[in-house]
Amino acid sequence: MTLFLRRTLPLLLTFLFGVAFAAQYYIPHPVSEGALTEISVWLRIILGFAMILGIASLCQVHYAKIRTRVAGWGYSLVVYLSMLITVAVGFWAGGQETGTGLGWVYTYTLLALQGTMFSLLGFFVASAAFRAFRARSKEATVLLVAAILMMFGRVPLGEYLVPAAGPLAGWLLNVLSLAARRGILIGISLGGIATSIKIIFGIERSYLGGRE
Amino acid sequence: MPGDSGGSVGLSWRAAPFNGPALRYQVFFGEQERGPYTQLAEFPANSHYKSDADRPWWSWDRTKNVHFYQVKSTRTLNLVNGRPYFFKVALTDGTQSLEGPVRSAVPEPNLFNWNKANNLLLMIVFSTLVLISISQAKRRPNIFLRRIPGLDAVEEAIGRATEMGRPILYLTGSDDMSSLSTIAATVILGQVAKRTAALDTQLKVPHRDPIVMAVCQEIVKESYLEAGRPDAYREDSNFFITSDQFSYTAAVDGIMLRERPAANFFMGFYYAEALLLAETGAGTGAIQIAGTDADLQLPFFITTCDYTLIGEELYAASAYLSREPVLVGTLRGQDQGKAFLLISMVIGTILATIGAFTGTQAFVPVLQLFRDFK
Amino acid sequence: MRELAGKLLRLDRRAIFVLIALATLIPLLYPVGLPIRVSPEVKRVFDHIESLPAGSVFLLSLDFDPASKPELYPMAVALLNHAFRRDLRVVTMTLWVTGTGMAEKVVSGVASEYGKRRGLDYAFLGYSPGGANVIINMGQDLNAAFPADHYGERTADLPVLRGVRSLRQVNYVVSLAAGTPGVESWYVYGKEKYGFELGGGVTAVIAPGLYPFLDTGQINGLIGGLRGAAEYEILIGMKGKGMAGMDAQSATHFIIIGLILLCNLFYVLAPGTVVRSFDPSAPLRTGSAQDRTGSPQEGQR
Amino acid sequence: MATSVLIGAWVAAGLTLFMFSFLYKDNPFFRFGEHLYVGVSMGYTIVRIHYDVMMKSLYGPVAQEGKWWLLVPALLGLLVLTRFVPKVSWLSRISFAVIVGFGSGVAIPRIISSNILQQVQGTLKPLLNAGSSRFGMAELNALLILTGVLTVLVYFFFSIEHKGAIKIAARIGVYFLMVYFGAAFGYTVMARMSLVIGRFDDLILFASRDYAYASLVLLILVTLGLLLWERGRRRAEAVLRPREPRRGTSQREGVRRTA
């Protein structure tokens, strides 16, 4: 019985859910559309509960740091405090964001931090380009030329200096690079389908861990 | 109306023998047979042919000289499934009009969308190919596989980390457990963990999704067990940071700079954080191996990592690392699928060219097999 | 020479960061206004506003949040400038609750520059929940969708809205959108039914997806990304954030291109450089240890 | 200006500068910002999950609308939590199975639709036209796209040895891939630069008189702080150095020769 619960039941569920939701795509009936919406709510609820695992893990990692007083344990305290304060403010505001403390926290800390972290990409794009774009082989040269043409053609100054740069960049993007992207996508899709099939038929089961 | 979820009615009628651009059709609708009728549409008599509809030949009669109009639910007109409605069509030249008979129709939801039959057919073909290849591979396991350079480097990277006494950082991507990329990444994690267990190297796997974390804990534990080193397994090698994209990125960047892992693995699906992670890692001098099917992020991994598994290679990687016949067979199946599509595209292009050159419609049915109908 | 080449190749990446920061900051503070070609889809929005007689009703919906501010905020400024200059009756609102504060700031800011009075020359209706449903509501009864404006005054009493009972009396609507609800919602739930003219302004990511709408005339014009904003600023003869941003874009792009070219020049000069031919075993390897710039803590190597 | 806005501007400007200091190197300001970010984002997620998922999607529908079947995902969620109890932790597999099964099932037809059918359909274009030009720009593009797709696909063949014609095709495929990677990289630069512009815009705004010169003051403070920190660190290192020579790079290059 436990063997059934431990191994057969999970595999059976995977099979049933896999087949059902593959079939769902071909069934236009409202019931089938409804099932898809319903299950996405289900996944959110499951994730909601699972988040407790995540919170526990986060707290554990930082608790261990504080307890053993490893270098920089004070920062772990920052994590704890900022998390608790945000939760407290959030519940105080009843989850509402307009004109509440939660809205303030969101606008002035989260948005600022997120925007800045995201904008670091602008700098990293430059340094990655500088390091990687070197004509060290024929392939790397092609990479380099394509990138430069693209950058040149995308800004007003480039287009002003060489009027053909804009259309050329567009052609590069819509023809040559589109072709490669299509090839990659078709390849990915076959790999994805094969993986899905293996999972549905229980051939690939490592995600279940354990072999009992 | 075939292939819909109900809430609409398709009207078709034979064209009048005296069609012309000056004549116009009017479509009327009524909730009762006696009326009142309201006009829904009016269009020139030489338009709205049934053959104009963008539908495949296998689910749609494409004969000429039949007019077609689809009545859909809108905000003002609500067609309820299972209830009869009444329609009539009139032909008018502006002064006179000729009314057709009243017809009733009941909107019904369908159980199968025949427009998508080619999709289903492809799914069956590919599934069969994969399953057959797997069973063949089980019988004859020695299939040739070309090298994937990034995978040779996996061993090297782990070896180097061991030599330097530094940890290995492994990321499983930003998607949740239902994404195929994540599943592929966790499978590769299992193989990497086996090596780290054997060499006694520290493995660090920071997570964004608690369920992926739980699954990875199982997988890593299992790998250590298989490698005969359950004692070396640490529950905290998989840990959770936060589900938020950029705070996760900031924290992982921090780990890279402070704990200086000797090797970074970026497997799975990534969004904009790809470059933030890989460029920081490149700055620390770690060996970096990426594998992703996020086509938009590939350029950034290519430029910042030592090795990158491109797209499909991510799925193939687990087969290479384990050499299990099942997985190798899958690759064989994928290759056959690719060959099939490749040949189809060559033949399809030739047919399309002949079609455009001679103006014949003869090949349209073949080409429609490879079209995506909704 | 060779030494210099080697040094440049190992350039600390923080030097690049400084260059990028300067190339962004300087044009933002002192915009040059490099020439930009105005695309027809932006021109059509401009032309339409230009063709409206003074006193026409112009509705601007700011459907974005602070995350898309860099691209859409300059558009809002340019459009408001144009509308106030043309003495249109300007009605503004937002469908994104997170964008309310920002929208209020830009509207009242530009209005005060032109000495326009709230309620008399312009209105900010604020946010109303319901997404696309708000548009349907507005089409039926504007006062029902927004009983009061953002500041709590009854919309029915606002002089600027005199004679405007629903979207039917609005002459031109522009939605500046960073997603859904946005331009598409305004088309599907508004224009199709209530027959006003509609224009759109969107982020560069969304713009390509809206070109089909432009072709079919579902929207009469489209302003795409920071570049679109800059083009609009050119049309109204204003040196704003969009143009400054485009200058910064040009500057950073050219710095990156320049660095890459320079670095490749030196790479050829540097000792031990061989242009490798194709090596199938490692076709995509691009980094090797000797090319790594120093990491912050291993800077002096 | 409201006090909360003024304080907010100072906090936002400060945190922005803290995160930017990462470009210099890892430092206490960045570490503080990073940990604060993790804490706040986790706290925010907890609040959102409580209100949007637990209350709005679960409690509300079950208690008020009587949608009892939503208790099933709640049960599956609880099963995930059995991982806290090693003895019954295998129960969590049931939930994993549902998630993974759903994901694989949903994926197949959609992948076929968008990644196979739509891509193949876009490739099947006539290479000659019936018009007078026979072979124009559109046809050339169609030919190039077809060549690119085919050769890239050949590159991805795993079970065929790359030699002879296959090798040539795969190599052309590699060139197409390189064009794609280069062009996609160059294309993205612009979008990324707008992000920098956006942040700088905010900093410039906060540097104005209205915000009491927040960014300027904070910039000076952070720079001073970094200088002090560097000095302190140098001193500490000077004490440590004789005992612990740094040898990271040379050792690394030794290993790298095998690469």
Side-chain angles (χ1 to χ4, degrees), chain C residues 104-127:
Chain C
E104 196 276 333
K105 211 181 291 169
V106 61
V107 173
S108 57
V110 178
S112 69
E113 275 174 39
Y114 284 87
K116 299 283 181 184
R117 284 151 302 169
R118 197 178 84 207
L120 208 59
D121 305 308
Y122 78 95
F124 178 59
L125 302 179
Y127 165 80

Side-chain angles (χ1 to χ4, degrees), chain A residues 41-53:
Chain A
V41 176
W42 281 35
L43 289 192
R44 271 178 44 211
I45 293 175
I46 298 178
L47 185 74
F49 281 97
M51 201 49 90
I52 297 174
L53 272 186

Side-chain angles (χ1 to χ4, degrees), chain C residues 51-82:
Chain C
S51 72
L52 294 174
S56 306
V57 180
F58 171 59
L59 182 96
L60 183 68
S61 188
L62 301 114
D63 307 323
F64 59 98
D65 63 4
S68 309
K69 191 178 161 192
E71 290 180 85
L72 296 179
Y73 196 86
M75 275 183 214
V77 174
L79 280 166
L80 286 169
N81 263 295
H82 192 198

Side-chain angles (χ1 to χ4, degrees), chain D residues 53-256:
Chain D
V53 180
M54 294 305 173
M55 301 311 278
K56 217 186 269 173
S57 306
L58 181 61
Y59 179 77
V62 172
Q64 283 148 26
E65 296 163 42
K67 292 185 174 175
W68 54 268
W69 59 88
L70 285 176
L71 292 175
V72 178
L75 180 71
L76 288 172
L78 288 173
L79 286 185
V80 174
L81 298 183
T82 57
R83 295 200 49 82
F84 286 123
V85 191
K87 237 182 181 166
V88 288
S89 71
W90 54 268
L91 278 169
S92 59
R93 286 183 197 172
I94 295 173
S95 314
F96 300 164
V98 170
I99 297 171
V100 171
F102 166 76
S104 347
V106 152
I108 304 179
R110 284 167 181 80
I111 290 179
I112 294 180
S113 156
S114 67
N115 286 3
I116 295 186
L117 288 178
Q118 283 178 23
Q119 304 306 324
V120 171
Q121 169 190 335
T123 312
L124 297 182
K125 292 275 161 64
L127 300 177
L128 291 171
N129 59 33
S132 55
S133 65
R134 294 290 186 228
F135 190 81
M137 199 60 199
E139 284 70 32
L140 175 69
N141 289 345
L143 181 65
L144 282 173
I145 290 180
L146 180 71
T147 316
V149 175
L150 296 186
T151 51
V152 168
L153 272 186
V154 169
Y155 170 79
F156 281 120
F157 271 110
F158 297 109
S159 58
I160 296 177
E161 208 165 341
H162 284 189
K163 58 182 180 190
I166 301 280
K167 185 177 173 179
I168 296 170
R171 200 173 149 182
I172 297 173
V174 169
Y175 282 110
F176 269 96
L177 285 175
M178 285 301 153
V179 172
Y180 168 57
F181 294 142
F185 193 109
Y187 181 80
T188 321
V189 170
M190 187 153 189
R192 301 309 187 220
M193 286 308 158
S194 331
L195 299 168
V196 183
I197 293 171
R199 277 334 282 156
F200 277 31
D201 241 7
D202 276 2
L203 281 181
I204 294 172
L205 176 73
F206 293 149
S208 69
R209 205 198 146 111
D210 292 349
Y211 293 92
Y213 310 105
S215 340
L216 288 178
V217 176
L218 288 164
L219 180 66
I220 296 169
L221 286 180
V222 170
T223 318
L224 275 178
L226 281 177
L227 279 175
L228 283 176
W229 171 72
E230 274 292 353
R231 270 183 58 188
R233 222 173 53 101
R234 289 253 163 84
R235 267 195 215 130
E237 242 174 49
V239 179
L240 279 174
R241 186 156 297 177
R243 266 182 288 154
E244 195 191 335
R246 293 208 292 163
R247 39 167 212 168
T249 43
S250 59
Q251 183 191 7
R252 198 187 70 198
E253 270 164 4
V255 180
R256 277 313 294 255

Side-chain angles (χ1 to χ4, degrees), chain A residues 21-29 32-33 36, chain B residues 2-5 54-60 110-124 368-374, chain D residues 108-110 112-114 117-118:
Chain A
F21 282 94
Q24 185 279 330
Y25 181 79
Y26 306 102
I27 304 174
H29 200 278
S32 113
E33 300 287 330
L36 188 66
Chain B
D4 71 350
S5 60
D54 192 26
R55 281 161 170 268
W57 53 268
W58 59 83
S59 71
W60 193 249
N110 292 276
L111 284 177
F112 186 76
N113 186 349
W114 281 100
N115 296 339
K116 293 174 178 169
N118 57 340
N119 186 318
L120 181 65
L121 189 72
L122 274 183
M123 173 163 92
I124 295 170
Q368 276 191 343
L369 279 176
F370 288 97
R371 278 194 53 186
D372 185 41
F373 292 98
K374 290 292 170 208
Chain D
I108 304 179
R110 284 167 181 80
I112 294 180
S113 156
S114 67
L117 288 178
Q118 283 178 23

Side-chain angles (χ1 to χ4, degrees), chain A residues 75-98:
Chain A
Y75 296 109
S76 297
L77 219 54
V78 173
V79 172
Y80 262 103
L81 283 178
S82 52
M83 182 163 82
L84 289 177
I85 292 174
T86 312
V87 171
V89 169
F91 282 112
W92 178 260
Q96 294 296 315
E97 287 187 22
T98 23

